[in-house]
Amino acid sequence: MAIRAIPSSREMTVEDFKEWLKQFDTDRDGRISRSELQEAIRRRGGWFSGLRAGRAVRRADMDGSGFVDDSEVENLVAFAQKTLGMRITAW
Ligand SMILES: [Ca+2]
């Protein structure tokens, strides 16, 4: 599976962000687990990815399932902007 590189100088939309994150849904259950998010952070060159991934999943996970499902992905946008330095626009 090829991971699409995100040019850091370019802004991405929330849809782009979802597409990017979907690449890390390795078990293809349509949800992002802590370990899947950890891999995404690692690809971005983030530090303390395990800790950050766990915290981010907990914060985004509104229904307490332990996963970030499709409707909760938007809750990761602020995290990605702040922690991963991604520039994400509303549309
Ligand atoms: Ca998954």
Side-chain angles (χ1 to χ4, degrees):
M1 185 174 59
I3 300 293
R4 210 153 43 113
I6 302 289
S8 54
S9 57
R10 206 175 60 99
E11 291 190 348
M12 67 198 299
T13 64
V14 172
E15 286 305 311
D16 289 337
F17 175 67
K18 285 182 178 179
E19 274 295 296
W20 176 78
L21 205 57
K22 223 174 267 179
Q23 297 173 110
F24 299 100
D25 180 19
T26 44
D27 59 5
R28 298 187 174 263
D29 63 354
R31 308 179 298 182
I32 299 299
S33 69
R34 178 190 158 141
S35 64
E36 287 167 347
L37 185 62
Q38 190 174 335
E39 180 62 21
I41 295 172
R42 194 158 35 212
R43 296 280 181 155
R44 290 289 297 179
W47 286 94
F48 303 114
S49 52
L51 196 67
R52 281 181 173 177
R55 202 180 295 158
V57 166
R58 263 202 308 281
R59 202 173 292 168
D61 177 25
M62 303 300 264
D63 60 5
S65 65
F67 298 91
V68 181
D69 64 35
D70 209 43
S71 63
E72 294 166 341
V73 166
E74 288 175 26
N75 298 328
L76 285 175
V77 168
F79 162 82
Q81 298 194 98
K82 210 165 158 187
T83 310
L84 304 182
M86 291 173 131
R87 298 204 295 163
I88 302 165
T89 57
W91 45 73

